[in-house]
Each structure stands twice: as C-alpha cells, then as structure tokens.
Amino acid sequence: MEKVKGLQTTKMYLGIELGSTRIKAVLIDEDGNVLASGGHDWENHFENGVWTYPLEEAWEGLANCYADLVNNYGEKIETLDAIGISGMMHGHLAFDQNGNQLAEFRTWRNNITGEAADKLTELFQYNIPQRWSVSHLYQAILEDQPHVKDIAYMTTLSGYIHWKLTGKKVLGVGDASGMFPIEIATHTYNQSMIDKFKELTNFDINCVFPKVLVAGEDAGTLSEEGAKLLDKSGTLKAGIPMCPPEGDAGTGMVATNSLSPRMGNVSAGTSAFAMLVLEKELKCVHRSLDMVTTPAGDLVAMAHANNCTTEINSWMSLFKELAEMLGSDISMGDLFELTFNKSLEGDADCAKLLGYCFHSGEHGVGLTEGCPLFLHPTDATFNMSNFIRAQIYSCFGVMKLGMDILINEEDAKIDKILGHGGIFKTEGVAQRMLSAAIGAPVEVMETASEGGAWGIALLAAYLDSNESLVDFINNIFADAKVSVIDATDDEKAGYEKFMERFKVGLEAEREATKLC
C-alpha cells in the first residue's frame, strides 16, 4: 500500500504491544520513522490468588489504543502494508476445541507453579521457569484442575490476539521459546522434550501449542472479523499481511538492535529482564537464567525479575498527592524527572538505604509472593537523593543476580548492552545506575521509550525485506542517535555494596511476605 500524505509517498506499518500496564500502538514508515502513536492504560487484577487480565479488557484496550493512534495520525486509515502484534510473554491461556476460554488468563507475574517447574527442569535437564506456559499446564495437570481434560489449544497473549485477528494459530519463535524449549537447529519445539512430556502427561505439545514461525514468515492476513475488532469505526479493511506475533522480549531485542552474539539489552518496566545473545550453549543449568531466542531463532540467555517499576510508580503517586495538597499542579512526567535527577546526588551505595520492589513473587530468590519493603539503619543518611537512588537500584537487583552468574560463572562476553523502557526516559539516570549494576557501558537510543510497539512494527516491515533480520535492523539503526554511559569505578563499587545488603536483607523480605 502506498499512502500519499502531503507530497510524500510512503509505506506504513503498524505495531501494537500489550504490555503489563499499557497497550501501545506505533505507526512507522519503511525507514522505521514514527508517524503516529497511540496508547491505552490498563492494569492486572489479583483475583483468587492469581494475577490476571480479563480478555474483554484486552479487546477494549486494543480498540481504544488503535483509535487513539488514528486520531493522532490525523487521517483515516483504510489499509496498511503490514501489522504486528506483541505481548507480555508466558502464562496460561487455555481454550477448548470450540475456542472457549477454559480458565482465567494466568500471567507471567504468578509464582504458583513451583512444583511443576522443578519437576520439568529435572526431567528435561533444562531450566523451566515458573512463568513458562508448560509449567502452568503441568501444574494444572498435577492439581487435577477440572479444565485440563478440555484443553485443545494453549497460547500466549500475542498469539491469542493474532489468532482472533487472522484465524491463524501461530507464534513467533521468540514468544514460543517462553512456552516450551526450542531446538535451535530446527527453530521448533524440542522434540525429545516433547516426547518426554507426552510420556509423562499424555499431552502432545505439537497438537496443543501454536505452530512456531521465525521473523519474516507468512503469518496470515487480517480477517473481516479481525478488522472489526481492531477498528470500531469500520474504516480499516481486511487482507492486510501480519507478521508472526512476538513476545515483549523479542521486540525489545529488535527495538535496541541487539540481535547479534555478545549483544544484549535490558528492558525495564513492570518487570525487568536482561537478554544476551549467546555464542554457545551454557555449560550447565541455572535456575536464574532462562534460555529463549531472538525472533530469528538464535539462542539467548535471559535474567528475569518479575518486579521493577511498580513500586517507584507507587511512591511517585504519593509524592504527586502531596504536591497537590501543597497547591502544585506538577505533572507526573516532571515529577519523575525532578526526583530521578535528584538521585544522582545520592551516595554510590545509597548510604545503607535498602528497598525491595516486590509487588509479586520473585522466583529468582525463591519468593512465591511479594511485599514491597523499605528499611534503613538509624545512622543512614536518609534524604531524597538516597531514597530515590535506592528505589532505582532495587529495580535491577534480582536481574543483576542472574547477570552475575552469566558473566562470572559462564564466562559470557558482552560487547554492548542497550537499555529501553520507560525507566530510561529521564536522560542519564537509570542508564548510569544500570551501568553500575552490570559493570559495563550502557547505551540508550532516542527511540528507547518507544519500546516493543516500535519493535513489532519493525518486524511487520521486515515482511517486505529479503535481507537477514540482523542486516535489516542494522540498516534501520544506521543513523540512530545513541547515548553511552559507563559508570565510574566508585559507582560500580557502591552498587556492589548495595547488593551485599540486598542479599542479606532478603531474609527480612521473606518474613515481610508473611504479613502481606
């Protein structure tokens, strides 16, 4: 499709990502330039001990997000060159043979599958995290949950939305790698592990999970029904090609141009995870390191933390309320910038202040439930700069524990780490502290805050390319503006001191969860 806007002819690609707190849409041209964006805020619910989202809220948010994008674009959109859907990875979305949902959507945020994850890790001799879809499936089997007998199909959030928009039960390999282990040579589910799981449970993963596709493969087209779900105005037409749906980890790699070996990225939002494209398989199984893939199917190690910015957001809401009580109309954006910049004046080790941002459990430190906690000794320098600094440090704490294993025990080499996500929006603050955490320079691009919606839009654009995905993305980033920060030796040493207290204080966090 060619659309004439003013005197310029261009192609247009749409990417939509359903994140943990925001659904975002980005419209780009063939060079990756953003033409318009839209958004819709939503939040998970904690119901009956489960973190979940009602699927009707996903559809309402998707339609509102798309309408917001069209409104910001300023012109009606009848067709597009391609569309891509991304979403938070993992979880439990199960359907019967008629497409009816069988149980609540159990998201990645839950830590309720410990028994299943442990047994599958032992069976496969491969780390199977609690949030992976196969862990949720096996836990449901172990507990003899009533819906298990009727399961005909399981997928992720992006796979579900894509299925309803196109009729195709497919999934990008990066997202699929968070459902079940992938065989790197074939870019499909690991067949030997499928055989072991079938012998154990009588479930055939090839029949129950989506078909796996790599970036650039045909994933179907937008159906008449799908067009109506996406665009309530009825303007958007069916027949638009759609790329394989992907998870937020994969789109984060695309959005930061970190798809080659020894390159990595850190995505920081409601959760935080560090990804590093590996040169070889790990020497042994580590429960704090997940093995996933790029959207092209290359092996990646992920150090994941369930919790990141939720607690900071809570404190900022409190500060905003105080500001309003004092007669100030400061915006949340300005409040973040003001307090984040103030944190740069804090002590490198936060002057003994310690925080845990655990709104939910953290499998990496053995916590099935979370409880935000802040504590300090009486002789600490308790001021705003150290307080905010400690909150930011805590965002990267659990993730750092996994990265330390990757670097120190597996001898993984890092050429470059790129940061993206809302926490990096205040220039040079979280970026500097992340550099201190991992002990290496961190790059942030001017597109960092666009995040995964931009990444999946680029994967949609890749449908029109004959290059490798790495070459295609390299061309997109050829003139990208990049900020590089390498923390000082004192800052790196200060973060290590913070982490010494962080590890010891986990016992207090464990006790705190009993009160929440």
Side-chain angles (χ1 to χ4, degrees):
M1 187 278 298
E2 291 189 343
K3 178 168 180 72
V4 179
K5 189 177 183 183
L7 299 176
Q8 191 173 14
T9 302
T10 187
K11 290 187 173 184
M12 297 199 303
Y13 304 93
L14 174 66
I16 302 177
E17 181 160 279
L18 292 92
S20 301
T21 59
R22 186 167 175 78
I23 302 173
K24 184 170 183 179
V26 170
L27 188 67
I28 66 170
D29 64 17
E30 64 266 40
D31 296 318
N33 300 309
V34 176
L35 305 175
S37 63
H40 173 85
D41 293 333
W42 71 335
E43 267 293 350
N44 52 192
H45 306 261
F46 192 62
E47 298 177 353
N48 301 317
V50 174
W51 290 103
T52 186
Y53 298 82
L55 293 184
E56 57 266 25
E57 290 187 12
W59 290 113
E60 178 185 1
L62 194 73
N64 289 345
C65 178
Y66 179 77
D68 188 43
L69 176 136
V70 173
N71 181 65
N72 292 333
Y73 183 60
E75 297 183 28
K76 291 184 178 180
I77 298 176
E78 293 186 356
T79 189
L80 297 158
D81 288 276
I83 299 173
I85 300 295
S86 175
M88 57 189 106
M89 295 173 67
H90 319 297
H92 187 72
L93 263 174
F95 303 89
D96 66 16
Q97 61 181 357
N98 297 316
N100 299 310
Q101 187 180 2
L102 292 172
E104 70 278 289
F105 172 29
R106 301 167 188 174
T107 76
W108 58 269
R109 200 173 189 181
N110 290 285
N111 286 268
I112 55 177
T113 62
E115 181 184 2
D118 289 344
K119 289 183 176 180
L120 291 176
T121 296
E122 178 65 26
L123 176 68
F124 296 156
Q125 285 300 293
Y126 192 96
N127 183 35
I128 305 297
Q130 287 200 48
R131 64 187 184 282
W132 279 26
S133 301
V134 69
S135 294
H136 282 278
L137 173 58
Y138 188 41
Q139 190 68 40
I141 293 170
L142 289 172
E143 295 177 5
D144 196 24
Q145 295 179 17
H147 75 279
V148 169
K149 67 182 185 303
D150 296 318
I151 295 176
Y153 183 52
M154 280 185 63
T155 187
T156 65
L157 183 58
S158 76
Y160 164 73
I161 297 295
H162 183 94
W163 168 36
K164 293 302 180 181
L165 294 181
T166 66
K168 300 290 185 181
K169 295 179 178 180
V170 299
L171 198 61
V173 64
D175 208 354
S177 69
M179 293 190 74
F180 195 89
I182 295 293
E183 193 170 291
I184 298 302
T186 61
H187 297 157
T188 57
Y189 303 118
N190 187 295
Q191 188 59 49
S192 66
M193 296 182 192
I194 286 176
D195 294 341
K196 291 178 180 178
F197 190 76
K198 186 175 182 181
E199 183 178 351
L200 179 69
T201 67
N202 205 34
F203 269 82
D204 186 344
I205 292 300
N206 284 323
C207 297
V208 178
F209 283 11
K211 179 182 178 182
V212 182
L213 301 176
V214 297
E217 289 192 299
D218 178 17
T221 60
L222 184 67
S223 67
E224 294 282 355
E225 295 80 6
K228 292 174 183 177
L229 286 169
L230 186 58
D231 182 11
K232 296 298 185 182
S233 75
T235 304
L236 191 66
K237 297 179 180 178
I240 300 169
M242 294 191 65
C243 70
E246 263 298 350
D248 49 2
T251 57
M253 286 184 274
V254 172
T256 53
N257 190 22
S258 49
L259 296 165
S260 300
R262 299 170 64 136
M263 294 180 66
N265 77 93
V266 169
S267 175
T270 303
S271 64
F273 48 86
M275 316 277 295
L276 183 66
V277 184
L278 299 179
E279 298 176 282
K280 57 185 179 180
E281 294 274 0
L282 298 183
K283 292 180 285 188
C284 57
V285 175
H286 300 280
R287 294 308 302 269
S288 56
L289 292 175
D290 306 352
M291 306 308 296
V292 291
T293 79
T294 71
D298 296 317
L299 186 64
V300 174
M302 175 198 288
H304 185 274
N306 279 353
N307 300 275
C308 185
T309 59
T310 301
E311 181 65 355
I312 285 183
N313 293 339
S314 297
W315 281 107
M316 291 301 169
S317 294
L318 185 68
F319 296 155
K320 181 72 162 61
E321 183 179 351
L322 175 61
E324 290 172 349
M325 289 169 60
L326 296 172
S328 171
D329 61 352
I330 187 172
S331 68
M332 286 297 286
D334 288 343
L335 186 58
F336 269 98
E337 186 170 356
L338 181 69
T339 54
F340 269 44
N341 282 320
K342 184 67 176 177
S343 72
L344 294 175
E345 301 174 14
D347 294 274
D349 66 349
C350 305
K352 300 183 182 178
L353 274 61
L354 182 60
Y356 296 92
C357 57
F358 301 168
H359 278 246
S360 62
E362 280 291 355
H363 70 281
V365 292
L367 290 172
T368 58
E369 296 180 6
C371 181
L373 182 66
F374 180 78
L375 63 161
H376 63 86
T378 55
D379 63 345
T381 306
F382 187 17
N383 57 28
M384 180 62 77
S385 58
N386 283 325
F387 177 78
I388 298 298
R389 194 178 189 98
Q391 294 296 331
I392 299 173
Y393 273 22
S394 72
C395 288
F396 301 130
V398 172
M399 182 189 72
K400 174 177 167 54
L401 295 176
M403 285 297 286
D404 284 349
I405 293 172
L406 190 60
I407 295 168
N408 299 327
E409 298 183 25
E410 290 289 343
D411 302 318
K413 306 301 180 185
I414 302 176
D415 287 342
K416 184 165 55 175
I417 288 287
L418 300 100
H420 73 110
I423 199 171
F424 298 107
K425 193 169 184 178
T426 301
E427 186 175 350
V429 180
Q431 181 182 2
R432 176 171 293 280
M433 295 177 193
L434 176 60
S435 174
I438 63 175
V442 173
E443 295 186 3
V444 171
M445 300 178 181
E446 62 179 4
T447 53
S449 62
E450 296 293 349
W454 187 61
I456 191 65
L458 291 175
L459 288 174
Y462 181 60
L463 286 176
D464 286 338
S465 175
N466 294 317
E467 303 173 283
S468 70
L469 181 60
V470 169
D471 288 342
F472 173 77
I473 299 300
N474 280 338
N475 288 333
I476 292 290
F477 282 86
D479 300 317
K481 295 179 181 178
V482 178
S483 164
V484 183
I485 290 180
D486 189 1
T488 66
D489 290 342
D490 286 345
E491 288 169 329
K492 293 173 185 176
Y495 204 107
E496 292 300 331
K497 288 183 180 179
F498 174 86
M499 286 303 297
E500 290 173 8
R501 298 194 307 277
F502 187 88
K503 293 177 210 179
V504 173
L506 284 170
E507 189 59 38
E509 171 64 21
R510 290 188 179 93
E511 291 299 313
T513 61
K514 298 175 183 179
L515 302 175
C516 291

